[in-house]
Amino acid sequence: MQAEKSLQNQPHTEAGTSRPCRSCKWQTPDPTDPHRGQCTANRHAMGGVWKRWLRDVENTTCARHEEGKLSFRDHV
Amino acid sequence: MNDIASAKVLEYKGNTLRFTPENPAEATIPADELHEHLQKPSTARTKRLKERCRWKHASAGEFIEKSVTAGIERMRYLTEAHKASEGQPEAIRRALGLANVLNKSTLVLQEDEFIVGYHAEDPNMFPLYPELSHMAVQDYLRSDYSPQPADEAAAINEYWKPHSLQSKCQPYFDPADLGRMYQVSSMEAPSFASGYNSIVPPYETVLEDGLLARIKLAEKHIAEAQADMSTFPWDGTKGLDNIAKIDNWKAMVIACKAVISWARRQGRLCKIVAENFETDPKRQAELLEIADICQRIPAEPCKGLKDAMQAKFFTFLICHAIERYASGYAQKEDTLLWPYYKASVVDKKFQPMSHMDAVELVEMERLKISEHGAGKSRAYREIFPGSNDLFILTVGGTNAKGEDACNDMTDAILEAAKRIRTAEPSIVFRYSKKNRDKTLRWVFECIRDGLGYPSIKHDEIGTEQMKEYAKFSLNGNGATDEEAHNWVNVLCMSPGIHGRRKTQKTRSEGGGSIFPAKLLEITLNDGYDWSYADMQLGPKTGDLSSLKTFEDVWEAFREQYQYAINLCISTKDVSRYFEQRFLQMPFVSAIDDGCMELGMDACALSEQPNGWHNPITTIVAANSLVAIKKLVFEDKKYTLEQLSQALKANWEGFEEMRVDFKRAPKWGNDDDYADSIITRFYEEIIGGEMRKITNYSGGPVMPTGQAVGLYMEVGSRTGPTPDGRFGGEAADDGGISPYMGTDKKGPTAVLRSVSKVQKNQKGNLLNQRLSVPIMRSKHGFEIWNSYMKTWHDLNIDHVQFNVVSTDEMRAAQREPEKHHDLIVRVSGYSARFVDIPTYGQNTIIARQEQDFSASDLEFLNVEL
Amino acid sequence: METTTCKQCTNFFPVPPGADDYEAGKADCVRQKEDEKGKYWLSKPVFENSTHCEAYCAKR
């Protein structure tokens, strides 16, 4: 149960999801390939931003999905 | 909040030292707003120009000012020409492309400016380069900065897909390898995927000869080649060489003519505005003067300082933004402009002016660069947070005779930088003990004002390096001993030749990065990246059970490093192979004496090898190795398996263990245990393995350790590391800088550590943060001057300084709108503090602020 | 119906004979613009018989 909950909190594949990483405020595009992305939702109490690579920003999602866009100040 | 004056009192050589401000007026300025009081533009005009400057800074991939967007004209006219020229020689197609862009694009003239010219159809725009990377343009099409009309831009990008450098190069690599590079976590993406590039334009030929003379030269060579082809008896083994040469010379003629016409069109715009729009007689006269300058140059040789500034700026636009994109602002500006400064300021022979007029010109140049927009890929909009691009010029050093090269133009450049306070362009000062005191004082003034530049490079190290590389010249025409003095930093850190020939023309010679922190992380996971991409990121070098000794870990890392660095350099050379076939640079070729003489394209000709690649995040990897050796293999307090378990948990539940790893010996404290391992790491692996590689130019590739903003990006893509770092925390901020906050033994201990690394390095960036009250005190200059002499004697390649207080940075975080003039040194560049993400701001605050103890002053042998 | 062309526009400045880019009927279209950062001028090549654009302003 704990493992399943943890999985839901991390980006995972869900084909055709209506809450894709692409529209999530924690997502920022991949530095090189526009089909990929980076999740920035993991943030350390000390201010660190621990990114996760997103293979397919249209078909991945997680429980922390929030529509929107963060300011450059909140990214890396 | 602290006062600017330090409360510190120091007993030194029998004296009691107090650190009161050198300028008594500063006693009334609150310390947390000091830098908002330091700008002093030399004229009302430059004050206005700064207030209305169209900054194009990017951070975290986004442009900060809302009006900034991509233009479409360059890509439109380049594409139109490419379609119309099918079947013609490729070099000529490139020249026709440049000519079509220059002939048809919209020109811009702004109020108050004296140096004119722009590279897009609106001053808020920047051009794109679909002929380089279609992925980079695709990213723009999806962004808020997409060129308009978007449909037309998308069609153009689609057209270039089969023709782009990216598509030409990709088939020669395993897609898995490229996928690893594109992530920019263990390796920087290849230039064919990002479009990123750098160059040192041979400005000298434009200023000294003028383009009409270059056209004449090319036409003479064409006539000679054609005569050679009709000479009896025909020799097919040599005669056919003329074909490519003739194409290149013809392309040079087309390019130079187009540039002259474009510059004159710019002059005509000034004249039309003077006669039809402007009502102020003084400005009308000035616009007519600019019109006259643009009519004469760059067609003819420059005669005065205004000519030279304008010719230089036109050349910059073509070489860095119109013919092709290239980052940088590499030039030996004081040497380049000195003859024109002398003609205008000293001899008053042409465009007579005072020294302060020259200072104003430089201030205007700095503001032009500050509003230059770069159509960089997203990676590079992330990598230099707070800046628009890497603009770095070089001054000082020694001349071809080995004498002090500082002159009054050097001082004008430094004074203008201090007065106008812009983050760009950054300045490199080549430090020699022969440099005159007057100029050193200007260097210090800029540094203590918190500009973060000049960054200081060791003059003799750079010169010797040019001599060493010259030995590998493939055509036996590398830099002579005299020419070896003619070096500038190509970008942030690496020396390269400047002048009429032998300069770097493309990124494939030097540039690009490799990230040891991530490589160490995957070394401990059999090449697998569990913390960012969840994929195999390097070769399988053995699971933990196979790493039985420290040497096993060392060798596994070496193998990961060999794989990555080999891939990095081979992708660069493959780029170059296709650049010289499809991305020729006829204008750059026309202004290079070597290309002109030999009829070769600038991407093809290499006379002075200068291979380099940037290890970034080396200290996180090195400190981690030290901690592993001590705690796992010597003290045997933990096993590698326990360490791995703690790292996978981001140290959660392993706090005591994290503290042990955090407290293990660290770089920058003159600690022999740490330093011996780390020195070996730099010399044997980072440099030793890299220099085994030979690049296109026939020379070795050497490490130029630095950081740009990649210490943040790679930090956020790297999980927890055995140096006690949490996952996602920033990595080390320089090539050889201690990790932030871990250099606790004072500034001279840092110098002693750094001086131990001497072999197999091309350059290494050293960031130091110095105390504001001490530097602004009446003892500041003497302490800094002694520090520099010691640094020089220890044979250290580089150093640069932040002189900014934590109070002021915290105040700027609270109220950014009140702190636009607060500039900080990030790594190889400076930026406005408020334009950097909070994550990056915190890394600068966390750097150790170095104080000076009596023993430090004794080591520096300061006389106070 | 009469077609209005660039030639009749106040922003139309013919390229002088002898200029490198001189062509019969070619001109610089020079327009003044202003935004929150200040005034600036744009110059674009046009031909006298080009159909006028949204910035057209008839010569007096």
Side-chain angles (χ1 to χ4, degrees), chain B residues 162-208:
Chain B
H163 304 294
S164 66
L165 183 64
Q166 182 190 340
S167 299
K168 302 270 187 220
C169 296
Q170 280 185 156
Y172 298 91
F173 295 94
D174 183 335
D177 287 336
L178 292 182
R180 293 166 178 171
M181 295 189 83
Y182 291 176
Q183 291 175 22
V184 194
S185 65
S186 59
M187 297 167 269
E188 189 171 324
S191 56
F192 62 72
S194 64
Y196 192 69
N197 190 33
S198 51
I199 186 174
V200 184
Y203 289 108
E204 286 78 355
T205 57
V206 181
L207 273 60
E208 292 167 9

Side-chain angles (χ1 to χ4, degrees), chain A residues 32 38 51 53 69 73 76, chain B residues 182 532 713 716-717 834:
Chain A
T32 314
Q38 304 174 85
K51 290 181 176 177
W53 191 55
K69 197 170 179 180
R73 284 219 170 84
V76 180
Chain B
Y182 291 176
Y532 176 62
E713 290 303 319
S716 72
R717 292 173 196 139
V834 298

Side-chain angles (χ1 to χ4, degrees), chain B residues 720-761:
Chain B
T721 38
D723 55 345
R725 198 186 129 269
F726 287 109
E729 277 192 317
D732 47 294
D733 54 56
I736 204 157
S737 306
Y739 189 76
M740 49 187 179
T742 63
D743 43 341
K744 296 182 181 303
K745 298 279 174 65
T748 59
V750 173
L751 291 181
R752 284 192 289 268
S753 281
V754 170
S755 69
K756 293 170 189 170
V757 176
Q758 292 287 340
K759 271 174 60 187
N760 295 340
Q761 311 296 306

Side-chain angles (χ1 to χ4, degrees), chain B residues 116-148:
Chain B
V116 297
Y118 199 63
H119 56 306
E121 60 265 40
D122 185 279
N124 296 313
M125 293 183 180
F126 53 84
L128 294 182
Y129 308 86
E131 77 275 28
L132 299 176
S133 162
H134 54 78
M135 281 194 300
V137 176
Q138 185 68 29
D139 175 74
Y140 274 106
L141 295 174
R142 291 177 170 211
S143 75
D144 298 337
Y145 329 108
S146 175
Q148 298 297 327

Side-chain angles (χ1 to χ4, degrees), chain B residues 274-396:
Chain B
E275 293 171 349
N276 298 276
F277 296 90
E278 185 57 60
T279 53
D280 174 9
K282 197 175 157 205
R283 177 63 176 163
Q284 280 176 333
E286 191 172 75
L287 284 168
L288 292 174
E289 186 186 8
I290 302 170
D292 170 66
I293 291 171
C294 296
Q295 175 66 25
R296 285 187 294 102
I297 64 92
E300 298 168 23
C302 297
K303 293 192 281 189
L305 191 58
K306 291 175 183 175
D307 282 3
M309 271 292 191
Q310 186 61 62
K312 191 159 74 69
F313 195 72
F314 279 146
T315 308
F316 162 75
L317 288 177
I318 304 291
C319 297
H320 284 265
I322 301 179
E323 183 167 59
R324 184 181 170 182
Y325 165 70
S327 187
Y329 198 50
Q331 57 192 288
K332 185 68 178 27
E333 190 171 40
D334 51 351
T335 302
L336 181 64
L337 294 181
W338 168 247
Y340 311 102
Y341 177 97
K342 185 170 181 297
S344 294
V345 180
V346 181
D347 303 335
K348 315 271 186 208
K349 282 199 303 199
F350 195 79
Q351 295 168 339
M353 65 172 78
S354 67
H355 178 80
M356 285 314 294
D357 293 332
V359 170
E360 187 199 24
L361 258 182
V362 178
E363 288 175 24
M364 290 193 283
E365 177 202 22
R366 298 188 63 80
L367 291 164
K368 279 296 269 190
I369 294 299
S370 294
E371 59 185 10
H372 181 81
K376 301 176 300 183
S377 74
R378 181 169 289 275
Y380 296 86
R381 300 199 305 275
E382 291 178 341
I383 289 171
F384 324 131
S387 74
N388 33 359
D389 210 349
L390 294 178
F391 302 112
I392 298 138
L393 61 87
T394 302
V395 297

Side-chain angles (χ1 to χ4, degrees), chain B residues 697-729:
Chain B
S697 297
V701 181
M702 299 275 279
T704 306
Q706 51 153 324
V708 274
L710 277 161
Y711 75 94
M712 308 174 206
E713 290 303 319
V714 173
S716 72
R717 292 173 196 139
T718 303
T721 38
D723 55 345
R725 198 186 129 269
F726 287 109
E729 277 192 317

Side-chain angles (χ1 to χ4, degrees), chain B residues 409-421:
Chain B
M409 190 68 223
T410 322
D411 297 351
I413 292 165
L414 294 167
E415 180 174 352
K418 175 180 158 68
R419 284 177 171 275
I420 202 71
R421 282 188 72 82

